[in-house]
Structures are given as structure tokens and as C-alpha cells.
Amino acid sequence: MTNAQQRIEAIFEQVIKRNPGEPEFHQAVREVIDTLAPVLEKHPSYAEQKIIERICEPERQIIFRVPWQDDNGEVHINRGFRVGFNSALGPYKGGLRFHPSVMLGTIKFLAFEQTFKNALTGLPIGSGKGGSDFDPKGKSDSEVMRFCQSFMTELYRHIGELTDVPAGDMGVGAREIGYLFGQYKRITNRYESGILTGKSPSWGGALVRKEATGYGAVFFAEEMLKIKGRDLEGAKCLVSGSGNVAIYAMEKLQSLGAKVVACSDSAGFIYDKTGIDLNTVKQVKEVERQRIKNYVNEHPDAEYHENDNIWDIPCDLALPCATQNELDENSARTLINNGCMAVSEGANMPCTPEAVRLFLDSDVAYGPGKAANAGGVATSALEMQQNASRDSWSFEHTEKRLKEIMTNIHNDCYNTAEEFGYKGNYMVGANIASFRRVAEAMLAFGVI
Ligand code: NDP
Ligand code: 2IT
């Protein structure tokens, strides 16, 4: 082991000791810092100034009570979180997740990932994440509204255009952002468009933000395929999830000539070998907020599978767009054996470390989430630009900017990996390129 590797091992031990019971946070940290030894060797000041140690410690962590009443008047208590992880490159920026599995460690893993993702965009945004263990499933609109109002009644004092700018993530879409913004406006007596992104374009939101994460993950896949001399025309695709990211990944795949044959939700997946009908998926998931299995009511020839694995279906391209650790070692092996060309992570940390290792050792091009799904937060930063200048851009212009940003991220990752002797390893490229950017700013600011 080199000195740099020993140092990284010691840092990781400390991270585990100081953050007990947070396995997802440990996993996210390990995946990044394990690739940083060559950077420490090249830049001794990063070690002297303890940049990695500082980058692994969130700048601030806020936890608060969120009481609300359901439609029957019963009182419920949830827990709210907002973690500001790193503000070296700009105000804290990152989504809010409402899901019953949310714990502090979940938010810390997501905020940590966000540090590197946001740096890759090249835009002036630091990193944060928040959310709650509230489960929006099965709740009425008015229950969701009362929850959001209660959540914002505490959150409002911690956010601001120049401080911290939340957006959506799992369980938080345009409906929730609307209720959150309404409560902020009411409490503060100020119409501050720049305090949240993912707003509806009818009142200060940016066109393309809704589509951006899914579209971006497809643009990233396209760039990886280009390097291999391949393209999306006729490619058979699997997309897990059927939420915001999955739906718009499928939309872009289809418009570029690929054929999406399966998508899922937390209960099971649908397989439609004639190609998924996206209008039906949108109707079931976006409008009716129902289960994906209802798809087969409209398409009786499609199959619904409750206990099988979506990754067992042979494909050319896989886009995990649901949740963390949804694609394990066995699934990775199956994808590789089935001749899959590329994996582009629309979700955050969807592949387990063992799955990632297999991809990196194979011919599959593997696009890690912090690069492949950065289109969402990048377009949030474009929304901030539009809000700051009281302007709004056309769909075409914004999508063009998104595509340029994704191409730049791809090239940055590819070239950085090559510079450090890891040609084709987008994980190493993404980690090193983003770490250097954050580290340089942190060095400039001194010990803060
Ligand atoms: P949504 O809440 O809109 O959708 C999540 C989807 O994933 C739902 O279809 C959900 O099913 C499904 N899902 C959840 N858990 C599982 C599971 N264990 N197995 C299979 N499917 C599951 O969230 P988003 O689409 O916004 O987010 C998806 C992922 O993308 C997350 O990892 C998020 O952090 C990441 N991401 C999101 C961005 C954004 O802009 N929204 C930006 C970058 C990354 P069900 O309906 O049953 O719950
Ligand atoms: O994981 C993510 O990048 C997001 N949920 C989007 C964050 C944002 O601020 O748009």
C-alpha cells in the first residue's frame, strides 16, 4: 500500500466510526475516496490541508419535527432533514426526498454524491440534500399539502437563493414543489423564485427541468456508445422505475430510435416486447398515481412480473432509474452475459459496489450516477440563472444547453480517466475530475 492509500484507509475508518449505522453513506464515501490516491500523490497540498477529511464531513445537518393532520384529523409526526454538505462552489443545491426509508444516512449519502455531481456540471452550485420519512403513497392531495406546509414552516429559515436551494427527488415533484413554494411565499411575504427549483413553468420554473434527468442520462449513454462506435437506433432498452427520471429517459430513448421493452415500480415490472406505450405509463403513474401493473389493463399482451428481476431480460442498454442498490452482482453478471453494451445510471447509486466492479472489468460502458444523472441538477442551475435574470428560455434552447453540458461531463470524465491511466473508466474519471474542482476552491478559501 502506498502512503496515499494508507491515508485513505485511515480516513475511511474514521468515517465509519464517526457515522455509525449509515451504510449507504459509507458506501458512497468508499466508492469516491478509493479512487483518489493518484490525486493525493499528484497534489500533496490536498493531503496537507486535509481536503478529503473535510469533504467527508457535512458542513451542516438540520433535523426537525414535522407534525401534520390527516383527512380524519389524526395527528402524525414525521422527521425532516436538510444537510448542507459542501458550499465551496456555490449555495447548497440538491433535492428533497419523501420516502418511508429516509434516514439521516440516506440524506448524507445523497448529499455527498451531490458534491461531486454538481461539481461535474461546471455550474456554480454546492451540494445539499433533504427530505423526510413521510410516505406520499396513498395520501390525498390535501394531506400532501398539509405535510408540505408543515415541512416548509421549519425549512424556510434555512434556505435562500444564495444559501441553499432545494428541488425534487423521489416522492417530490411539481405538486409538492408548488405547496412548498406557496408556504415559503406566505411565511416570508416575498416572491423569491430562486429559493426552489423544479417549479412549474407556469410560475417561475424552467422548461426542460422535468425532463432533464432522464433526457440527460440518455445523452450520456449516447456519448458512451459513440466511443464504442455504436448508437441507439434499434437498441433494446430496460429502464427500471416509472417515476420522473424513468419516464423521461424512456421518452428520449424512444425519440432517438431505441426500443424500451420494460420498466418497473417497487412492486414489479412490466415487459412489453412490442415496445412500452409511454402514454399509458404517464397516465398510470403521473395522472392516476397508481401501480405499474395497471399498464396491462390497456395492453393485455404485455406481461406483469411481480417476483422476477427486470435485469434478466436480454438488452443492449440498461438504465437503472429507480433507487439505490437496485442492481446487484447477479444482475450485473446477467447483463454482461446477455451482451449489454452500456449502463447509464439515472438513479443515485443504483448499482451495488460488486455490480460496478463487474461492469468495470467487462466491456460494458458504465456511466456512474454522479455523471449520468447530472442533467437534472444542471437544469436546476439553469432555472436559477433564469430566475436571477427574470428571464425564461425556450424548450429548444434549454435542451441544447442540457445536451452540451452532458457531452462536456462525458468528455471530462473520459479524458480525466485517461490522464490517470484508467481509460474508459468513467467512475474514476468522474470522481477525480469533480474532486479536483471542489478541492481547488476549498484550498483557495483556507481552513474553513
Ligand atoms: P420518483 O419518486 O418520481 O420515482 C421513483 C420510481 O422508482 C417509482 O417508480 C418507484 O416505484 C420506483 N422505485 C422505488 N423504489 C423501488 C425499488 N426498490 N424497486 C423498484 N422500483 C422502485 O423519483 P425520481 O424518478 O425522481 O428518482 C428516481 C431516482 O433518480 C432516485 O435515485 C433519485 O435520487 C434519482 N435522481 C432524481 C433526480 C430528479 O431530478 N428527480 C435527479 C437525479 C437523480 P413506486 O411508485 O412503487 O414507489
Ligand atoms: O439527485 C439529484 O441530482 C436531484 N434530485 C436533483 C437536484 C436538484 O437540485 O435539481
Side-chain angles (χ1 to χ4, degrees), residues 125-318:
I125 40 179
S127 62
K129 201 88 186 187
S132 174
D133 56 0
F134 174 74
D135 185 359
K137 243 185 232 128
K139 304 288 190 298
S140 68
D141 278 356
S142 20
E143 288 172 331
V144 170
M145 180 185 75
R146 286 195 293 277
F147 175 80
C148 288
Q149 290 176 340
S150 182
F151 187 86
M152 184 53 90
T153 301
E154 173 58 34
L155 187 69
Y156 89 96
R157 66 186 93 247
H158 306 292
I159 64 177
E161 186 186 355
L162 305 177
T163 311
D164 184 357
V165 185
D169 191 79
M170 286 170 78
V172 178
R175 175 182 62 172
E176 290 73 20
I177 294 292
Y179 293 146
L180 291 164
F181 187 81
Q183 183 72 350
Y184 181 92
K185 184 171 83 61
R186 177 197 206 185
I187 294 172
T188 59
N189 191 34
R190 291 162 73 95
Y191 201 112
E192 292 179 71
S193 300
I195 56 108
L196 284 173
T197 61
K199 300 179 296 296
S200 165
S202 54
W203 49 270
L207 291 169
V208 191
R209 174 61 190 89
K210 179 175 70 173
E211 294 83 358
T213 312
Y215 280 19
V218 175
F219 293 146
F220 196 89
E222 228 186 349
E223 293 301 318
M224 293 196 296
L225 291 179
K226 231 185 251 170
I227 297 273
K228 287 174 158 284
R230 309 287 291 269
D231 62 36
L232 286 168
E233 188 59 45
K236 205 168 141 186
C237 306
L238 307 179
V239 177
S240 64
S242 49
N244 172 264
V245 180
I247 286 177
Y248 293 95
M250 291 194 267
E251 183 169 283
K252 187 48 77 179
L253 284 168
Q254 290 180 344
S255 77
L256 293 173
K259 184 173 178 183
V260 183
V261 294
C263 68
S264 62
D265 65 16
S266 57
F269 70 87
I270 49 163
Y271 174 45
D272 189 339
K273 54 181 179 303
T274 62
I276 296 282
D277 173 3
L278 201 51
N279 286 332
T280 305
V281 175
K282 285 183 180 175
Q283 177 65 25
V284 172
K285 298 304 286 189
E286 288 188 332
V287 181
E288 296 164 13
R289 298 181 188 270
Q290 282 299 326
R291 313 310 298 153
I292 197 67
K293 86 169 168 211
N294 291 9
Y295 179 92
V296 296
N297 300 342
E298 290 294 314
H299 300 275
D301 290 339
E303 299 166 16
Y304 175 66
H305 295 252
E306 206 153 87
N307 297 314
D308 301 325
N309 183 354
I310 190 172
W311 310 117
D312 285 343
I313 303 168
C315 70
D316 301 309
L317 181 66

Side-chain angles (χ1 to χ4, degrees), residues 82 92-97 110-111 113-114 117-118 125-126 128-129 165-170 172 196-198 209 213 244-245 346-348 369-370 373-381 383-384:
R82 186 70 187 169
Y92 304 126
K93 181 82 198 87
L96 297 170
R97 175 177 292 192
L110 290 161
E113 284 288 285
Q114 202 84 46
K117 182 194 306 194
N118 292 6
I125 40 179
K129 201 88 186 187
V165 185
D169 191 79
M170 286 170 78
V172 178
L196 284 173
T197 61
R209 174 61 190 89
T213 312
N244 172 264
V245 180
N348 285 307
K370 61 174 73 69
N373 72 40
V377 76
T379 308
S380 276
E383 184 169 330
M384 291 163 74

Side-chain angles (χ1 to χ4, degrees), residues 75-121:
V75 175
H76 298 264
I77 313 296
N78 284 99
R79 190 169 286 175
F81 302 93
R82 186 70 187 169
V83 171
F85 219 101
N86 194 298
S87 60
L89 294 176
Y92 304 126
K93 181 82 198 87
L96 297 170
R97 175 177 292 192
F98 292 169
H99 194 272
S101 64
V102 164
M103 301 183 291
L104 180 61
T106 322
I107 301 300
K108 280 164 71 180
F109 118 65
L110 290 161
F112 179 81
E113 284 288 285
Q114 202 84 46
T115 305
F116 304 94
K117 182 194 306 194
N118 292 6
L120 282 175
T121 67

